Amino acid sequence: MGAAAGFVALVIVVALVVLLLALSVRMVQQYQRGVVFRFGRVLDRIRQPGLHLIIPVADRMVRVSMQTTVIGVPAQGVITRDNVTLTVDAVVYYRVVDPVKVLVNVRDYPSAVLQVAQTALRSVIGKADLDTLLRDRDRINAELKAVIDAPTEKPWGLLIERVEVKDVSLPEGMKRSMSRQAEAERERRARVIAADGEFQASRRLADASRAMADTPGAYQLRLLQTVVDVAAEKNSTLVMPFPVELLRFFDKLARGAGEQIDAPEAVPSVPGDGHRREGPR
């Protein structure tokens, strides 16, 4: 009887020891930090990753993840500074830097960060115009990060790492207007580039004409080059170079002959005649 009672007592003691160890041992993962509450009060020492012993019943450990958390901000209807209605959504990257403040100063901090992000998104987008939102997205993201980080870093122990505007939805009428504007801008650029090209080409042609004027043989070489270019492919057209100066010579010759024919001829005077007669024959 005594041996049986001693064995039962030993078993009970071992079971109590095992239960005590189970209640006392806590494991903290590498990406976590442990905050111990003793009779409801926070202990100063933060438990690092590994195995830790706590006092059963008196202590309670809460593990806080130190990983970066990503939350998506739902689409928000916003009116920009130039009175354009938009639908904007964003994404927020944050992580815990002070586990004690996260547990003590704020309740359900992921939801709190989401609400602050929605409010900041409407506030920042409402102060910017449409062109700034579409063109300078980095500045908008920086302003969003600063606005969200102000009430969360020191009071709540959170660090906002990045905030990015993910999508901007425009009304269909605004899309069509922007499309027409972009088309008109591209057409304007094309016309300016074409006019600039023609201006540069005219200046080059003027320089070439002056250089060819200083060298008389250059005109003939250019004429021969034109003939070669025309006859390069299989072509039935025959090009014969004819100097323009020769045409001008024939034109002057024809004009001189016409003036001689149209001019009246003078009648020679007879000796001994008292007066001189002139007239056509």
Side-chain angles (χ1 to χ4, degrees):
M1 295 293 295
F7 178 74
V8 172
L10 179 61
V11 171
I12 293 175
V13 171
V14 172
L16 289 175
V17 171
V18 172
L19 180 61
L20 183 63
L21 289 175
L23 295 175
S24 301
V25 176
R26 294 290 184 271
M27 183 173 62
V28 179
Q29 300 293 337
Q30 181 66 37
Y31 57 87
Q32 295 176 339
R33 298 295 182 269
V35 180
V36 178
F37 292 85
R38 180 167 295 173
F39 295 111
R41 300 186 64 179
V42 179
L43 298 182
D44 296 334
R45 188 169 67 89
I46 303 298
R47 301 303 191 268
Q48 299 298 320
L51 290 175
H52 298 278
L53 295 176
I54 63 174
I55 300 175
V57 181
D59 293 346
R60 182 175 65 91
M61 177 182 288
V62 180
R63 302 177 184 87
V64 179
S65 176
M66 306 297 289
Q67 293 175 315
T68 298
T69 305
V70 182
I71 59 172
V73 181
Q76 304 292 315
V78 185
I79 299 178
T80 61
R81 188 173 62 180
D82 49 353
N83 297 325
V84 178
T85 303
L86 303 176
T87 302
V88 184
D89 57 353
V91 59
V92 180
Y93 302 82
Y94 71 93
R95 62 183 177 88
V96 176
V97 294
D98 193 335
V100 176
K101 290 182 179 180
V102 163
L103 295 176
V104 175
N105 294 349
V106 60
R107 180 179 180 181
D108 192 9
Y109 62 91
S111 298
V113 172
L114 179 59
Q115 295 299 322
V116 172
Q118 291 179 0
T119 305
L121 183 62
R122 290 192 293 267
S123 176
V124 172
I125 300 300
K127 296 178 182 178
D129 53 12
L130 179 61
D131 292 338
T132 303
L133 179 61
L134 298 178
R135 181 179 63 253
D136 197 0
R137 191 73 63 86
D138 293 337
R139 186 172 68 85
I140 300 297
N141 294 337
E143 292 182 4
L144 282 172
K145 179 180 179 301
V147 172
I148 299 174
D149 200 19
T152 58
E153 182 176 5
K154 292 183 179 180
W156 296 352
L158 297 173
L159 176 63
I160 306 299
E161 294 182 344
R162 294 176 60 188
V163 180
E164 293 183 356
V165 175
K166 186 167 59 175
D167 187 21
V168 178
S169 298
L170 298 173
E172 292 298 328
M174 181 60 65
K175 290 181 180 179
R176 290 192 294 269
S177 299
M178 294 178 64
S179 177
R180 291 194 297 268
Q181 180 182 1
E183 184 178 357
E185 179 65 21
R186 291 185 178 275
E187 185 177 358
R188 183 187 68 84
R189 291 183 185 177
R191 291 183 178 180
V192 170
I193 292 174
D196 190 22
E198 291 180 359
F199 175 71
Q200 294 180 5
S202 64
R203 296 187 63 180
R204 295 299 182 184
L205 288 174
D207 295 339
S209 63
R210 285 192 293 268
M212 294 176 67
D214 296 337
T215 307
Y219 288 103
Q220 298 180 1
L221 294 176
R222 181 58 183 165
L223 183 60
L224 293 176
Q225 182 64 36
T226 304
V227 174
V228 172
D229 294 338
V230 172
E233 300 294 334
K234 296 179 179 179
N235 197 349
S236 60
T237 303
L238 180 61
V239 178
M240 296 296 294
F242 198 81
V244 179
E245 289 77 5
L246 187 59
L247 293 177
R248 293 176 180 174
F249 172 75
F250 285 122
D251 183 53
K252 292 180 180 179
L253 185 62
R255 289 181 181 179
E259 291 177 356
Q260 291 180 1
I261 293 175
D262 294 337
E265 296 182 359
V267 178
S269 59
V270 179
D273 195 354
H275 59 278
R276 182 178 180 182
R277 292 179 299 173
E278 294 183 357
R281 293 181 181 180

